[in-house]
Amino acid sequence: MSDASENPAASAAPALFTWEFATDPYPAYAWLREHAPVHRTKLPSGVEAWLVTRYGDARQALADARLSKNPAHHAEPAHARGKTGIPGERKAELMTHLLNIDPPDHTRLRRLVSKAFTPRRVAEFAPRVQELTDRLIDGFAERGSADLIHDFAFPLPIYAICDLLGVPPEDQDDFRDWAGMMIRHAGGPRGGVARSVKKMRGYLAELIHRKRENPGDDLISGLIRASDHGEHLTENEAAAMAFIILFAGFETTVNLIGNGMYTLMLNPAERERLQASLAAGETGLLATGVEELLRHDGPVEMATWRYAVEPLTLGGQRIAAGDPVLVVLAAADRDPERFPDPDLLDLGRRDNQHLGYGHGIHYCLGAPLARVEGQTAIATLLTRLPDVRLAEDPSDLRWRGGLIMRGLRTLPVQFAPLSGR
């Protein structure tokens, strides 16, 4: 591995992973793209990893079979043991999910779970997303103020994914509590997240047992049926798949809605452009607009962990076998070599092959559902609360610490109160 002594530019790199960086990482990423596009750094956890910041290198890395998703390939020193991946997933026997495995197991499991995210199934689920969206807005519309994270962006994907998995309504608030623990402790001590993961694992084991006895038309029942039909999906695999759909699916959508609404409120001309389009009954600008929000300040800052299975060269840097690699999606999606005026928000941007949902065989399986949730949430908020505005100065808002996700802790807003529907 090279270090700063071998790469003089790296010694002048801007400070990473500070609170100032969390608020606005884009200037630092611009520096890295220009001076050290594949940059070795020590993360707050003490783990050393390579950060990949240019679009071309990022796209290559995301599809490179020499970069494994399996943590077994991490040549981890003792001080780094257990500090990558999702806290608690190993002890909870939840490792065998799509973010931790390679072909051929990845191919088999993805084929099974992809049946839940077909265009037909997502289209059938869209009215339920609209129903949840309206119900949540009804809960605060008469107040004239809300925290769009706590009151809206957070519960919407939780309840949607619980419906998709087949979690009974009476148990869904437990899931909301566990998910809340994961978000609150993200970027802090891993123990808080691990405790929530353990509770969720126990519940999923019980739910899988109940669904095996009394299956329904839901994702967990579908996974069990596939297992029973000779696909050899173990209970641990079924639990891990259900867990990662929840874990990977809810926070990305929380941040898509939160970051998206925040960005629109900071860009009034583009926001008014979108509201005019929606008022005219058009959907085209909403569709391209959500893609632009994903590119401009997306919910996933870095792709999940990869590990070199053999020595390779990326962006001119020699990466040793066992080294961790983090593809910085937020940096790649503002690469001026790929996107003209990358810091400019243009909701009508057409050539927008952003990496917000990844690339290659690990492209986000739930992207179609997340797009439906994001489009429905943003369109409904802008339509029903047309004068929604920030209730605090942007400099007073705080972003959650953490490595993979990018999202606001709170998003307080004000608007003209609505009378009951």
Side-chain angles (χ1 to χ4, degrees), residues 213-228:
E213 298 295 322
N214 187 23
D217 184 26
D218 54 72
L219 176 55
I220 289 181
S221 297
L223 291 173
I224 292 168
R225 279 193 294 271
S227 174
D228 289 343

Side-chain angles (χ1 to χ4, degrees), residues 36 85 107 316:
T107 308

Side-chain angles (χ1 to χ4, degrees), residues 307-326:
Y307 312 91
V309 297
E310 61 184 72
L312 66 135
T313 300
L314 184 63
Q317 290 287 0
R318 189 69 172 165
I319 296 174
D323 281 1
V325 174
L326 289 166

Side-chain angles (χ1 to χ4, degrees), residues 77-94:
H79 75 274
R81 198 154 294 145
K83 293 183 178 179
T84 64
I86 300 170
E89 62 179 353
R90 190 184 303 271
K91 285 185 177 180
E93 297 183 310
L94 290 170

Side-chain angles (χ1 to χ4, degrees), residues 152-164:
F152 183 74
F154 177 74
L156 175 61
I158 284 291
Y159 292 139
I161 292 172
C162 281
D163 282 356
L164 192 71

Side-chain angles (χ1 to χ4, degrees), residues 7-57:
N7 182 5
S11 63
L16 306 178
F17 312 117
T18 64
W19 284 113
E20 293 78 12
F21 171 83
T23 299
D24 183 10
Y26 296 103
Y29 288 149
W31 190 97
L32 288 176
R33 276 196 312 267
E34 182 175 354
H35 300 286
V38 178
H39 173 63
R40 187 188 178 197
T41 190
K42 181 175 285 188
L43 305 174
S45 64
V47 176
E48 292 189 352
W50 295 94
L51 303 182
V52 181
T53 56
R54 286 182 181 166
Y55 183 91
D57 295 334

Side-chain angles (χ1 to χ4, degrees), residues 197-208:
V197 169
K198 183 178 180 181
K199 290 178 181 177
M200 196 175 291
R201 173 64 175 94
Y203 177 82
L204 287 171
E206 177 187 336
L207 183 61
I208 288 169

